[in-house]
C-alpha cells in the first residue's frame, strides 16, 4: 500500500486489534443496516483518539478527566450511532466533532444537522475522517469550524445534513491546535437559536405516533430510523433530553434491544438460533478440516467466535460444542485455537505458550484451568455438563490480558 | 528527462505544455491567447511596456476574470498554471513511479482542479498563485493516485461498500449503460449497501456472501422493484449485476485520457469579448499597483516568518532543514537521527505549529482579519513554500515567492 507522507492531511494506521474488536461489536447489532456505520465510528475512535492524545500531550490540551471526554460515551454509543453518526471529543475546553466516512470520494464533507443545530451538541470544530477499513488506514482530511459550516455550508433537507466541498476545509491538521488556542469564540461558533421547548407530554405523543409508524414500516424495512420521521425541532428536543431519549429508545425497534443478550444461549443453539458472532466452521473458512472435533456425535452443535487479544495476529478463536443429554442437561466442550487464513482454509498455529483457558461460575469460582504448553495447537476444558438456564463464564488469559465469554445453558 | 525551459514573461499566459510519452515535449502557443497578449501590450502606456512583471499579469487576469467571469482571462490563467501543474505532476510521478498513473495522468488529475484553484486564490493573502496552486495540485494528485491505487486493489465487497450513489451513477454513465440498466444496477447496489455487513473481517468477494445475505438483499431489491418498476431478479441475477457494478467502478477510477488542448479550441471567438482599450489599461495600472502592495505584504510575512524561525530551537530548525530543504521523508529523518518516526512527526509538527502560531497571531493583530478556511489554506501554502525556499537555498521554478 502506498502511504503518502502527508504532514497536513496525515494517514493513520488502524490498529489490527481495533478492527477485530470493532467488528465483533458491530456484528452483534441486530439491525443489519446499522452495523457498518457502527463499525466505522468504532474504528475511527480507536485510531483517532490515541493520535489526538499523543498530539495533545505536547500542549496538555486534552483534559485529564477522560470519563466524560467523549460523547456519546461507550455505553450509549451503539444506540446513538444508529441515529446520528459521529462523536464529540473534548479537547481542553474545545469540542471537536469527529465524523467518519468510508466513501472513495471525499470531495464533500457532510455533517448531520444534530451536531450543528442542537446547542448542547454543537462543536467548535468538525473533523473529516476518511477510512479505508480494508487497507487498515484512515486519513484526516481537514476540519472546519462551526461558524463557517453553519453559515457557508449547504443544507440538504433530504438527509438533514450540512455539507461543504473539501476546498472549504482547512487542509492542515496542525492548524486545528493553533486555532483552538487563538480563535475567539465569536469567530469559531455561530449563534444558535435555542430549541423550542418540548413538554414530556408532547414528546410522549410524538414518540407513540412514531413507534406505530415505524412498526408498520419495519415490515417493509424501508425507513426504520426515527431520525427523519419527526420535525427537526421535535426530534432534537427528544434527542437532547436524556429522559425523553430513553423513552424513545424503549418505544422503537433498535439494534441493541435485549433480544441479543451479552451471553450465548446454548438452548437456542440446539434449536438452530445463533448469536451472530458465534459462527459455524463453514463461515470461518469453508475448506477447513475439523481438527480434534471429528468424533462429535451428529446431534451436537459446534460454533466458534473470534477472541481479540493484542499481539496475536490473527485472532484466536474459542470453539464451543454443545450436545443435548437425555436428562435435559447439556454436555459442553470448549476449545481455544490459534489459526491463520490460507488458500486451503484455516491452518492451525501453535498457541502462545502460557495462555490459559478457565471455567468460572457466576460466583467467580474457578472450576477448571488449562494452560498451553510449547507447540500446543489447541487446548480444551474437560467436557462438563450443565443444567438448563445455568450460567457459566469462559475466560482466556494471556499475561495481564483477559477476555471473557458468558454462556447460559 | 527533458526539463522544460522557463517561459518568457508573456508566453506564460499564452502557451500550454505538451506532454509526449510521459515526458515534457514542448510549449505550444495558442494563437488566440497570443493575439490577446499582444493586444493588451499595445494598449500600455509607453513607459510600462518593458517592465510589466509576471505577477502583475497574474493579478490583472485574475481581477478581470473575477469581474467578468469570462473565458479569455480564465484561459490566460490556465496557461499560467501549466508550470506549477507540470512541476507538481513531475515531482510526484517521479517519486512514486507507477506505470498505471504516469506524468500525463498526474498532470490531468491536477489540472482538473484549476477552476477551484482560481476560485480559492486570494491575491491579498500572501502566497503567489503558483505557490498556492502548487499545493492544491499536489493534494489533488495525491488523492487521485491514492484513489486509483486503492480502487484497483480493493476487494469487490470493499469497492461496493465504499462507493456512493453519485459515484456509481457516474461510473455507469461513463460505461455507456442505458438508463434502464443503470437503474437496475443502482437498485442492486442499494440492496447491497443497506444490508451487507462482512461475516468476517477477511471477507472479500461476492462469492463469499452467505445465502441469508442474498435473501435479505433480494427482499430489499423487491421493494425497490415495486417503487421503480424494475424487472424481477433472483439471487444469481443480483450477484451478476453487482459484479458488473464492480467492473464499472474499477474502470471509472482508472485514468482516462482527455485532451487538454481540445478544451482550448474555442478560444478564438473570445477575442471579441475584450473590453475596450482605455479600461483595459486602467485595470493594468491598478494591477501593477496591487502587485506592488502584495509584494510589500509578502515581504512583511517573510520578516514575520524569519523572526519566528530564529526563535525555534536548533533541533526544530534541523528537522525543518531535513524535511523541507533535503526533502527527506519522516522515516528517513528518523533513521538519520536514530529516532522513531512518530517522534520525528511530533517534533516536526511542533515546529510547524510554532510558525503557524506566529503567522496567525500576525494576521489577527496586524491585519485584523478573521482566519477563515481560505485564509488558513493560503497561509499553509505560503509557509510551506517559504520553508522550501528558505532551506533549499534556491528558487525552484515551481516555488517563486
Amino acid at each position: 500500500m502506498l502511504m503518502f507522507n502527508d504532514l497536513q492531511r496525515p494517514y493513520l494506521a488502524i490498529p489490527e486489534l481495533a478492527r477485530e474488536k470493532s467488528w465483533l461489536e458491530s456484528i452483534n447489532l441486530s439491525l443489519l443496516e446499522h452495523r457498518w456505520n457502527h463499525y466505522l465510528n468504532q474504528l475511527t475512535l480507536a485510531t483517532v483518539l490515541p493520535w489526538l492524545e499523543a498530539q495533545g500531550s505536547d500542549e496538555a490540551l486534552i483534559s485529564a478527566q477522560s470519563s466524560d471526554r467523549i460523547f456519546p460515551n461507550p455505553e450509549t454509543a451503539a444506540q446513538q450511532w444508529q441515529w446520528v453518526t459521529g462523536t464529540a471529543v473534548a479537547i481542553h475546553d474545545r469540542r471537536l466533532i469527529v465524523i467518519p466516512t468510508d466513501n472513495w470520494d471525499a470531495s464533500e464533507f457532510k455533517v448531520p444537522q444534530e451536531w450543528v443545530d442542537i446547542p448542547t451538541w454543537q462543536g467548535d470544530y468538525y473533523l473529516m475522517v476518511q477510512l479505508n477499513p480494508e487497507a487498515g488506514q484512515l486519513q484526516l482530511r481537514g476540519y472546519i469550524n462551526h461558524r463557517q459550516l453553519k453559515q457557508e455550508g449547504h443544507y440538504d433537507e433530504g438527509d438533514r445534513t450540512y455539507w461543504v466541498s473539501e476546498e472549504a476545509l482547512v487542509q492542515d491538521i496542525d492548524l486545528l491546535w493553533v486555532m483552538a488556542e487563538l480563535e475567539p469564540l465569536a469567530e469559531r461558533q455561530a449563534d444558535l437559536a435555542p430549541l423550542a421547548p418540548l413538554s414530556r407530554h408532547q414528546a410522549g405523543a410524538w414518540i407513540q405516533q412514531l413507534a406505530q409508524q415505524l412498526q408498520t414500516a419495519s415490515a417493509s424495512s424501508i425507513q426504520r430510523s426515527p431520525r427523519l420521521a419527526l420535525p427537526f425541532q421535535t426530534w432534537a428536543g427528544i434527542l437532547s433530553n436524556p429522559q425523553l431519549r430513553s423513552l424513545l429508545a424503549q418505544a422503537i425497534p433498535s439494534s441493541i434491544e435485549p433480544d441479543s443478550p451479552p451471553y450465548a444461549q446454548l438452548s437456542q443453539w440446539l434449536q438452530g438460533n445463533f448469536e451472530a458472532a458465534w459462527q459455524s466452521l463453514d463461515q470461518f473458512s469453508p475448506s477447513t478440516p475439523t481438527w480434534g472435533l471429528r468424533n462429535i456425535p451428529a446431534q451436537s452443535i459446534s460454533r466458534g467466535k473470534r477472541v481479540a487479544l493484542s499481539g496475536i495476529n490473527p485472532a484466536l478463536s474459542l470453539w464451543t460444542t454443545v450436545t443435548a443429554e437425555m436428562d435435559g442437561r447439556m454436555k459442553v466442550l470448549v476449545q481455544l485455537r490459534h489459526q491463520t487464513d490460507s488458500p486451503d482454509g484455516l491452518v492451525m498455529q501453535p498457541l502462545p505458550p502460557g495462555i490459559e483457558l478457565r471455567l468460572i461460575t457466576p460466583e467467580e469460582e474457578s472450576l477448571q484451568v488449562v494452560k498451553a504448553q510449547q507447540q500446543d495447537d489447541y487446548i480444551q476444558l474437560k467436557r462438563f455438563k450443565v443444567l438448563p438456564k445455568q450460567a457459566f463464564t469462559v475466560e482466556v488469559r494471556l499475561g495481564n490480558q483477559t477476555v471473557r465469554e458468558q454462556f447460559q445453558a | 528527462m527533458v526539463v522544460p525551459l522557463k517561459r518568457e514573461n508573456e508566453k506564460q499566459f499564452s502557451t500550454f505544455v505538451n506532454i509526449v510519452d510521459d515526458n515534457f515535449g514542448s510549449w505550444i502557443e495558442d494563437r488566440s491567447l497570443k493575439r490577446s497578449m499582444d493586444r493588451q501590450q499595445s494598449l500600455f502606456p509607453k513607459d510600462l511596456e518593458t517592465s510589466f512583471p509576471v505577477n502583475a499579469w497574474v493579478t490583472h487576469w485574475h481581477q478581470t476574470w473575477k469581474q467578468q467571469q469570462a473565458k479569455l482571462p480564465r484561459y490566460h490563467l490556465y496557461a499560467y498554471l501549466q508550470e506549477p501543474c507540470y512541476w507538481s505532476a513531475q515531482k510526484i510521478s517521479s517519486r512514486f513511479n507507477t506505470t498505471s498513473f504516469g506524468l500525463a495522468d498526474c498532470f490531468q488529475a491536477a489540472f482538473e482542479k484549476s477552476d477551484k484553484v482560481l476560485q480559492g486564490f486570494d491575491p491579498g493573502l500572501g502566497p503567489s498563485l503558483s505557490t498556492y496552486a502548487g499545493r492544491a495540485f499536489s493534494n489533488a494528485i495525491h488523492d487521485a493516485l491514492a484513489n486509483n491505487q486503492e480502487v484497483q486493489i480493493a476487494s469487490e465487497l470493499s469497492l461496493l461498500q465504499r462507493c456512493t450513489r453519485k459515484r456509481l451513477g457516474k461510473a455507469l454513465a461513463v460505461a455507456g449503460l442505458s438508463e434502464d440498466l443503470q437503474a437496475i444496477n443502482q437498485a442492486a447496489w442499494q440492496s447491497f449497501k443497506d444490508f451487507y455487513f462482512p461475516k468476517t473481517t477477511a471477507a472479500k468477494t461476492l462469492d463469499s456472501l452467505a445465502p441469508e445475505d442474498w435473501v435479505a438483499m433480494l427482499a430489499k431489491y423487491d421493494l425497490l422493484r415495486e417503487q421503480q418498476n424494475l424487472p424481477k431478479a433472483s439471487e444469481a441475477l443480483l450477484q451478476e449485476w453487482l459484479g458488473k457494478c464492480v467492473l464499472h467502478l474499477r474502470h471509472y477510477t482508472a485514468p482516462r485520457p482527455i485532451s487538454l488542448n481540445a478544451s482550448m479550441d474555442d478560444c478564438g471567438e473570445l477575442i471579441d469579448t475584450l473590453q475596450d482599450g482605455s479600461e483595459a489599461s486602467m485595470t493594468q495600472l491598478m494591477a501593477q499597483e496591487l502587485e506592488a502592495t502584495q509584494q510589500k505584504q509578502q515581504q512583511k510575512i517573510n520578516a514575520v516568518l524569519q523572526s519566528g524561525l530564529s526563535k525555534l530551537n536548533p533541533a526544530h530548525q534541523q528537522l525543518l532543514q531535513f524535511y523541507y530543504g533535503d526533502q527527506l521523508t519522516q522515516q528517513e529523518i528518523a533513521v538519520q537521527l536514530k529516532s522513531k518516526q512518530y517522534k520525528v512527526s511530533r517534533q516536526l509538527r511542533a515546529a510547524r505549529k510554532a510558525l503557524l502560531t506566529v503567522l496567525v497571531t500576525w494576521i489577527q493583530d496586524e491585519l485584523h482579519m478573521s482566519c477563515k478556511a481560505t485564509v488558513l489554506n493560503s497561509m499553509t501554502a505560503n509557509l510551506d513554500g517559504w520553508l522550501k525556499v528558505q532551506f533549499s537555498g534556491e528558487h525552484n521554478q515551481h516555488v517563486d515567492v
Side-chain angles (χ1 to χ4, degrees), chain A residues 2 4-5 7-8 23 55 102-104 108 131-132 134 141 148 152 169 171-172 174 220 279, chain B residues 96 135 143 147 149 155 158 161-162 164 166 198-199 223 329-330 349 352 372-373 377 380 384:
Chain A
L2 215 136
F4 293 111
N5 214 354
L7 208 54
Q8 286 106 325
W23 178 79
Q55 296 299 309
D102 70 332
N103 290 342
W104 295 110
E108 281 168 12
L131 296 104
N132 183 346
E134 188 176 40
R141 302 282 309 193
Q148 280 198 271
E152 289 161 35
L169 301 179
Q171 296 175 328
D172 183 347
D174 290 340
S220 58
Q279 301 183 317
Chain B
F96 292 106
R135 176 162 182 271
D143 287 351
N147 223 283
Q149 198 203 22
S155 67
S158 165
Q161 180 67 50
R162 297 186 53 205
T164 51
K166 201 164 137 192
K199 279 280 173 290
L223 283 171
T329 65
Q330 292 175 36
R349 287 184 187 287
R352 283 189 90 245
K372 294 187 149 204
N377 282 331
T380 41
D384 283 2

Side-chain angles (χ1 to χ4, degrees), chain B residues 250-388:
Chain B
R250 284 203 213 276
H251 275 296
Y252 179 66
T253 321
R256 288 182 308 280
I258 295 171
S259 163
L260 284 170
N261 292 339
S263 62
M264 305 298 167
D265 283 348
D266 52 353
C267 237
E269 64 200 62
L270 294 165
I271 223 76
D272 305 332
T273 64
L274 265 182
Q275 295 169 319
D276 77 41
S278 59
E279 269 182 71
S281 70
M282 279 299 285
T283 56
Q284 280 158 358
L285 276 172
M286 277 162 58
Q288 204 171 24
E289 260 168 48
L290 192 63
E291 206 270 325
T293 335
Q294 279 163 25
Q295 224 164 34
K296 275 202 201 110
Q297 179 94 309
Q298 185 66 53
Q299 278 161 7
K300 277 190 208 156
I301 293 174
N302 289 353
V304 169
L305 282 173
Q306 196 70 58
S307 104
L309 183 63
S310 67
K311 292 195 186 89
L312 290 186
N313 66 40
H316 280 170
Q317 297 202 16
Q318 169 85 70
L319 273 178
L320 293 173
Q321 171 66 49
F322 281 144
Y323 191 77
Y324 289 97
D326 308 336
Q327 309 256 316
L328 299 184
T329 65
Q330 292 175 36
Q331 289 85 340
E332 287 164 347
I333 298 174
V335 172
Q336 193 103 329
L337 297 177
K338 300 194 172 59
S339 179
K340 295 271 192 308
Q341 194 246 324
Y342 77 91
K343 283 187 183 158
V344 168
S345 161
R346 204 189 294 181
Q347 291 292 306
L348 203 49
R349 287 184 187 287
R352 283 189 90 245
K353 282 181 215 166
L355 294 174
L356 288 167
T357 303
V358 168
L359 272 179
V360 170
T361 314
W362 181 75
I363 291 174
Q364 287 176 332
D365 296 352
E366 298 295 320
L367 304 185
H368 307 289
M369 265 165 71
S370 102
C371 287
K372 294 187 149 204
T374 44
V375 176
L376 294 175
N377 282 331
S378 291
M379 208 177 73
T380 41
N382 208 345
L383 175 66
D384 283 2
W386 184 80
L387 285 170
K388 272 178 206 153

Side-chain angles (χ1 to χ4, degrees), chain B residues 7 10-16 28-41 57 61 71-80 82 263-271 274:
Chain B
R7 294 177 291 180
E10 296 75 30
K11 291 229 164 95
Q12 294 193 30
F13 299 91
S14 61
T15 53
F16 290 86
I28 292 181
E29 189 155 64
D30 182 282
R31 272 188 303 175
S32 48
L33 291 180
K34 166 86 166 61
R35 276 204 304 279
S36 158
M37 287 301 284
D38 289 347
R39 188 181 146 123
Q40 289 291 307
Q41 275 177 311
W57 275 118
W61 288 125
K71 270 189 187 168
L72 186 75
R74 194 168 80 219
Y75 284 2
H76 279 305
L77 293 166
Y78 282 171
Y80 175 74
Q82 298 287 299
S263 62
M264 305 298 167
D265 283 348
D266 52 353
C267 237
E269 64 200 62
L270 294 165
I271 223 76
L274 265 182

Side-chain angles (χ1 to χ4, degrees), chain A residues 44-55:
Chain A
T44 303
L45 272 197
T47 313
V48 174
L49 265 189
W51 189 84
L52 287 174
E53 272 163 15
Q55 296 299 309

Side-chain angles (χ1 to χ4, degrees), chain A residues 86-367:
Chain A
T87 306
V89 180
I91 300 178
H92 203 45
D93 55 351
R94 301 286 183 270
R95 207 167 134 91
L96 177 69
I97 314 295
V98 182
I99 308 280
T101 171
D102 70 332
N103 290 342
W104 295 110
D105 181 3
S107 62
E108 281 168 12
F109 180 38
K110 268 169 124 57
V111 180
Q113 186 182 4
E114 287 86 343
W115 290 118
V116 181
D117 284 339
I118 300 181
T120 51
W121 282 41
Q122 104 184 86
D124 294 288
Y125 300 105
Y126 297 78
L127 178 67
M128 177 178 186
V129 178
Q130 186 191 25
L131 296 104
N132 183 346
E134 188 176 40
Q137 68 176 31
L138 57 78
Q139 189 183 19
L140 310 181
R141 302 282 309 193
Y143 78 90
I144 187 167
N145 69 24
H146 177 265
R147 187 184 169 88
Q148 280 198 271
L149 180 61
K150 171 83 181 159
Q151 293 183 345
E152 289 161 35
H154 311 264
Y155 178 65
D156 186 339
E157 259 176 67
D159 59 0
R160 287 189 188 158
T161 53
Y162 285 89
W163 67 269
V164 290
S165 74
E166 69 170 323
E167 282 79 17
L169 301 179
V170 178
Q171 296 175 328
D172 183 347
I173 197 70
D174 290 340
L175 273 168
L176 177 62
W177 305 98
V178 173
M179 296 315 286
E181 272 194 56
L182 296 179
E183 195 160 37
L185 180 66
E187 283 178 25
R188 61 175 197 266
Q189 286 194 355
D191 291 333
L192 290 181
L195 293 175
L198 183 70
S199 74
R200 199 187 158 85
H201 179 72
Q202 284 170 308
W206 276 110
I207 290 172
Q208 210 170 20
Q209 190 192 330
L210 184 69
Q212 279 167 3
Q213 248 180 50
L214 292 173
Q215 229 151 40
T216 41
S218 72
S220 58
S221 65
I222 287 180
Q223 175 57 276
R224 284 202 276 187
S225 167
R227 188 176 171 253
L228 302 176
L230 295 177
F232 180 76
Q233 285 288 323
T234 311
W235 167 243
I238 294 173
L239 206 57
S240 57
N241 178 327
Q243 279 129 34
L244 296 180
R245 211 178 125 126
S246 62
L247 212 62
L248 174 76
Q250 287 158 19
I252 59 169
S254 151
S255 273
I256 47 163
E257 62 200 7
D259 70 3
S260 54
Y263 47 81
Q265 284 181 293
L266 299 181
S267 56
Q268 287 295 315
W269 284 24
L270 292 171
Q271 291 166 34
N273 303 320
F274 305 96
E275 294 76 21
W278 285 97
Q279 301 183 317
S280 68
L281 200 55
D282 286 351
Q283 288 167 319
F284 259 73
S285 180
S287 49
T288 305
T290 49
W291 327 267
L293 295 173
R294 265 179 230 104
N295 319 329
I296 296 168
Q299 65 273 34
S300 296
I301 298 289
S302 186
R303 289 256 152 172
K305 178 174 177 176
R306 288 178 199 267
V307 180
L309 282 180
S310 65
I312 303 173
N313 183 14
L316 303 160
S317 57
L318 207 54
W319 286 84
T320 304
T321 306
V322 51
T323 317
E325 295 280 283
M326 298 297 286
D327 58 3
R329 294 191 296 176
M330 291 170 215
K331 208 155 73 180
V332 181
L333 176 66
V334 180
Q335 278 191 348
L336 179 69
R337 301 176 184 168
H338 187 203
Q339 49 209 6
T340 47
D341 266 318
S342 87
D344 307 321
L346 296 171
V347 176
M348 292 296 263
Q349 298 287 334
L351 286 164
I355 196 167
E356 287 177 9
L357 188 59
R358 196 181 283 264
L359 177 65
I360 300 168
T361 65
E363 293 75 35
E364 291 292 318
E365 192 190 342
S366 178
L367 296 179

Side-chain angles (χ1 to χ4, degrees), chain B residues 32-329:
Chain B
S32 48
L33 291 180
K34 166 86 166 61
R35 276 204 304 279
S36 158
M37 287 301 284
D38 289 347
R39 188 181 146 123
Q40 289 291 307
Q41 275 177 311
S42 72
L43 299 170
F44 283 166
K46 277 278 167 284
D47 56 328
L48 266 181
E49 208 167 325
T50 49
S51 61
F52 203 63
V54 168
N55 282 342
W57 275 118
V58 170
T59 312
H60 166 68
W61 288 125
H62 194 252
Q63 294 277 91
T64 318
W65 172 72
K66 280 218 145 163
Q67 285 156 14
Q68 304 183 0
Q69 293 291 319
K71 270 189 187 168
L72 186 75
R74 194 168 80 219
Y75 284 2
H76 279 305
L77 293 166
Y78 282 171
Y80 175 74
L81 288 176
Q82 298 287 299
E83 272 183 67
C85 188
Y86 174 83
W87 285 114
S88 299
Q90 197 274 332
K91 191 172 155 203
I92 296 172
S93 67
S94 67
R95 175 128 133 251
F96 292 106
N97 202 11
T98 64
T99 45
S100 63
F101 213 94
L103 174 68
D105 299 319
C106 289
F107 186 91
Q108 188 190 318
F111 203 73
E112 280 169 3
K113 287 273 167 191
S114 293
D115 286 345
K116 299 249 160 142
V117 166
L118 295 179
Q119 270 156 23
F121 176 62
D122 184 337
L125 292 173
S128 67
L129 176 59
S130 74
T131 305
Y132 177 78
R135 176 162 182 271
F137 287 152
S138 298
N139 279 352
I141 299 170
H142 277 156
D143 287 351
L145 256 170
N147 223 283
N148 174 57
Q149 198 203 22
E150 282 175 14
V151 166
Q152 300 319 318
I153 65 174
S155 67
E156 290 177 340
L157 296 181
S158 165
L159 200 61
L160 291 169
Q161 180 67 50
R162 297 186 53 205
C163 139
T164 51
R165 166 167 282 279
K166 201 164 137 192
R167 192 185 181 90
L168 179 65
K170 283 187 192 164
L172 296 176
V174 164
L177 264 59
S178 71
E179 272 183 30
D180 287 352
L181 266 179
Q182 287 189 30
I184 292 170
N185 279 295
Q186 287 272 16
W189 171 77
Q190 191 67 51
S191 320
F192 166 85
K193 177 92 169 173
D194 286 1
F195 282 95
Y196 169 69
F197 190 79
K199 279 280 173 290
T200 76
T201 46
K204 287 189 165 34
T205 59
L206 286 166
D207 284 338
S208 69
L209 294 191
E212 63 261 31
D213 289 329
W214 290 110
V215 170
M217 283 189 247
L218 193 60
K220 169 79 184 185
Y221 176 85
D222 282 339
L223 283 171
L224 295 170
R225 183 169 63 92
E226 281 165 32
Q227 289 163 9
Q228 302 175 25
N229 221 349
L230 301 168
K232 234 175 139 49
S234 63
E235 281 95 344
L237 263 177
L238 264 189
Q239 181 164 359
E240 191 188 317
W241 291 333
L242 287 172
K244 293 252 168 68
C245 287
V246 168
L247 280 183
H248 295 316
L249 283 168
R250 284 203 213 276
H251 275 296
Y252 179 66
T253 321
R256 288 182 308 280
I258 295 171
S259 163
L260 284 170
N261 292 339
S263 62
M264 305 298 167
D265 283 348
D266 52 353
C267 237
E269 64 200 62
L270 294 165
I271 223 76
D272 305 332
T273 64
L274 265 182
Q275 295 169 319
D276 77 41
S278 59
E279 269 182 71
S281 70
M282 279 299 285
T283 56
Q284 280 158 358
L285 276 172
M286 277 162 58
Q288 204 171 24
E289 260 168 48
L290 192 63
E291 206 270 325
T293 335
Q294 279 163 25
Q295 224 164 34
K296 275 202 201 110
Q297 179 94 309
Q298 185 66 53
Q299 278 161 7
K300 277 190 208 156
I301 293 174
N302 289 353
V304 169
L305 282 173
Q306 196 70 58
S307 104
L309 183 63
S310 67
K311 292 195 186 89
L312 290 186
N313 66 40
H316 280 170
Q317 297 202 16
Q318 169 85 70
L319 273 178
L320 293 173
Q321 171 66 49
F322 281 144
Y323 191 77
Y324 289 97
D326 308 336
Q327 309 256 316
L328 299 184
T329 65

